[in-house]
Amino acid sequence: MVSAQQTKFVLDESDLPTQWYNIQADLRTPLAPVMHPGTGQPIGPDDLAPLFPMALIMQEVSQERWIDIPDEVRDVLRLWRPSPLYRARRLERALDTPARIYYKYEGVSPSGSHKPNTAVAQAYYNKRAGVTRLSTETGAGQWGSSLAMACSFFDLECKVYMVKISYQQKPYRRVMMETWGAQVTPSPSSETEAGRQVLSQDSDSPGSLGIAISEAVEDAATRDDTKYSLGSVLNHVLLHQTVIGLETKRQLELAEDEADIVIGCAGGGSNFAGLAFPFAADKLRGERPNLRIIAAEPAACPTLTKGAYAYDFGDTVGLTPLIKMYTLGHNFIPAPLHAGGLRYHGMAPLVCNLYHDDIIEAVALPQLATFEAALQFGRTEGIIPAPETAHAVRVAIDEALRCKAEGVSRTIVFNLSGHGHFDLSAYENYLAGNLQDYDYPLEKVEEALAQLPQVNA
Ligand SMILES: Cc1ncc(COP(=O)(O)O)c(C=O)c1O
């Protein structure tokens, strides 16, 4: 029997999941093949070998429902996992809502977000394959700092291309990465052909995740000792994040409750997928037809709600294979939002697949409304969310208020993907009234969509 005050639902270390859940085994529509931009043909594992170790490539295409988590990875995850599930009783009281609100707190990881769940796994598989150096990109710095930490655990060199606007807005994330031993370069940089190409067109470019990906991919592709590591979007990344949802389901059992609405913010889709996919499995099996699963994205970068479902490059310059996803066009450079991790033109193909098949929903939110929700959350629950996470908080509050208006009680579960301790300049700007909303940039999106690559698939 759960007491009326219980606030935290915690699992024992021995409850740390032993397997990841692979949603590819349960999709209604199989994923569209990834295409080679040169040949226009589907790519095979060997095409990806210059960038990733074979173990991760095999996870990328695996149709097995369950994949074992290596003991070496679980040993590291145990430093902070299982993460707590909180019942947001104080927020519920402040909203005067009949809804029950829960949040899974991924900010307890050493780098402060969900990102190490995959960083540790990726560093492990690269180390096992004899790789000595990893290159990557980072937006807000959450991913770069997580990979820097994971590389320090497995004794790998780490090179991070950090989106320039975040590099300037979040200097302490850079210091964090350097403290864990990584080398950090603001992107676009003059160190790569891709960076030089962007700078020649716009020397003041604030950068974007798409540009930073181009630089990191080029870095890995042109060096024998280096492979590339991506913090979101790819199937294996989302797979590694499913520990979040698997734990949450067990914690809800402890709470003697069941989710009616599951929410995550979506940049490339990894924290959303990590929480949502184990729940989506029930819906795909027909067991929970009324379960709502909502992805929260910025109105200034509304990939799912306003993008085209089409083949596109994963990066800006066009170095990656072509993937079918909702996209705003690889040339689209989003406004300099403080939710840097949500400034991505595309979205994970697995998340897009579920959206296209109506298994999940999406909403787009203006920046100011997300900070308003983050403040209300911080002032009731204490935790100051990352600006990315604030999008999920906004939707959770809106759904709780809807419960109040309709006079019904529903169970709302959201992913508190990270804390905002390194994003306080954004909060400072918000409190000073210096933040703004950005309109949906219709013209720029149309321009970028007009340049989508042509694929006959
Ligand atoms: C705290 C936090 N949440 C969410 C995201 C968005 O990424 P994803 O959609 O892959 O979870 C980021 C990305 O940097 C992040 O740092």
Side-chain angles (χ1 to χ4, degrees):
M1 182 70 188
V2 181
S3 90
Q5 289 84 37
Q6 189 163 348
T7 301
K8 283 196 304 306
F9 298 90
V10 289
L11 296 173
D12 194 76
E13 275 184 23
S14 60
D15 295 321
L16 184 65
T18 54
Q19 293 181 311
W20 291 300
Y21 167 60
N22 180 14
I23 201 165
Q24 289 200 63
D26 293 318
L27 294 178
R28 295 238 163 108
T29 315
L31 281 185
V34 175
M35 304 297 246
H36 194 291
T39 64
Q41 296 299 314
I43 60 162
D46 287 344
D47 293 308
L48 293 173
L51 293 183
F52 304 106
M54 202 42 80
L56 291 177
I57 296 171
M58 295 328 280
Q59 288 182 359
E60 192 63 19
V61 296
S62 172
Q63 302 295 313
E64 294 293 317
R65 185 168 288 111
W66 296 100
I67 295 178
D68 288 344
I69 308 178
D71 286 342
E72 294 86 340
V73 173
R74 294 177 78 242
D75 280 347
V76 180
L77 295 183
R78 240 190 298 277
L79 287 171
W80 69 93
R81 303 210 73 86
S83 64
L85 180 76
Y86 285 79
R87 170 92 183 261
R89 293 187 188 277
R90 301 173 62 83
L91 176 65
E92 289 170 17
R93 277 201 293 276
L95 297 172
D96 189 25
T97 174
R100 293 182 299 280
I101 307 175
Y102 296 86
Y103 56 96
K104 177 73 164 163
Y105 188 38
E106 289 296 305
V108 293
S109 81
S111 61
S113 77
H114 64 294
K115 298 282 182 181
N117 296 330
T118 181
V120 170
Q122 292 190 46
Y124 164 76
Y125 286 115
N126 274 286
K127 180 73 180 180
R128 213 182 58 178
V131 176
T132 57
R133 181 175 175 275
L134 290 181
S135 68
T136 196
E137 72 295 322
T138 196
Q142 290 268 21
W143 164 244
S145 51
S146 302
L147 191 69
M149 178 184 78
C151 284
S152 76
F153 289 149
F154 290 99
D155 198 20
L156 295 166
E157 273 183 66
C158 183
K159 168 78 175 187
V160 184
Y161 293 88
M162 184 173 189
V163 175
K164 196 181 279 171
I165 179 93
S166 294
Y167 185 91
Q168 288 158 352
Q169 285 172 349
K170 298 173 187 184
Y172 293 122
R173 278 272 167 207
R174 170 178 60 76
V175 179
M176 209 172 176
M177 290 184 254
E178 289 168 351
T179 303
W180 274 313
Q183 201 201 348
V184 188
T185 302
S187 165
S189 79
S190 54
E191 290 182 24
T192 63
E193 193 52 47
R196 288 191 289 275
Q197 192 179 317
V198 173
L199 287 172
S200 71
Q201 281 156 18
D202 177 8
S203 57
D204 287 335
S205 169
S208 69
L209 274 176
I211 297 170
I213 293 173
S214 300
E215 293 206 85
V217 167
E218 182 185 323
D219 182 311
T222 52
R223 287 180 61 139
D224 284 343
D225 61 347
T226 302
K227 296 244 184 264
Y228 169 64
S229 174
L230 186 62
S232 192
V233 181
L234 297 177
N235 304 340
H236 67 267
V237 179
L238 275 54
L239 173 81
H240 300 155
Q241 293 292 354
T242 57
V243 289
I244 302 173
L246 293 169
E247 287 176 7
T248 304
K249 286 180 97 172
R250 296 195 60 177
Q251 287 163 309
L252 283 173
E253 279 170 25
L254 292 181
E256 295 169 5
D257 215 335
E258 197 170 44
D260 296 310
I261 306 177
V262 174
I263 302 162
C265 67
S270 76
N271 88 89
F272 168 75
L275 175 67
F277 282 6
F279 290 93
D282 299 341
K283 200 166 171 177
L284 286 163
R285 270 199 302 274
E287 285 168 16
R288 298 289 318 278
N290 297 326
L291 174 68
R292 293 181 59 211
I293 305 176
I294 310 175
E297 60 182 13
C301 189
T303 315
L304 287 169
T305 50
K306 296 270 175 64
Y309 196 32
Y311 272 97
D312 199 2
F313 293 104
D315 68 325
T316 297
V317 172
L319 299 179
T320 69
L322 296 170
I323 43 183
K324 189 161 183 199
M325 59 182 175
Y326 284 87
T327 176
L328 299 169
H330 60 281
N331 293 323
F332 173 70
I333 300 195
L337 289 170
H338 278 278
L342 305 187
R343 294 178 66 241
Y344 181 59
H345 67 272
M347 183 61 68
L350 282 170
V351 171
C352 297
N353 178 291
L354 295 184
Y355 185 65
H356 196 248
D357 281 354
D358 286 331
I359 304 296
I360 63 167
E361 311 164 33
V363 287
L365 305 150
Q367 175 162 261
L368 291 178
T370 65
F371 274 93
E372 186 194 328
L375 247 69
Q376 186 168 24
F377 186 81
R379 289 176 182 181
T380 50
E381 294 293 319
I383 297 168
I384 300 173
E388 292 84 1
T389 310
H391 290 68
V393 179
R394 176 75 267 165
V395 177
I397 290 178
D398 287 348
E399 288 297 331
L401 292 174
R402 192 201 302 258
C403 287
K404 181 177 171 179
E406 294 174 1
V408 289
S409 172
R410 297 188 186 99
T411 299
I412 299 171
V413 184
F414 75 91
N415 196 356
L416 210 165
S417 56
H419 65 64
H421 298 175
F422 293 89
D423 303 286
L424 292 179
S425 64
Y427 280 88
E428 185 179 29
N429 281 325
Y430 176 73
L431 292 169
N434 293 336
L435 284 197
Q436 60 178 109
D437 282 336
Y438 297 96
D439 287 338
Y440 165 58
L442 176 66
E443 251 173 47
K444 280 193 186 166
V445 171
E446 279 179 348
E447 215 175 276
L449 287 179
Q451 293 172 41
L452 285 181
Q454 296 304 310
V455 176
N456 302 318

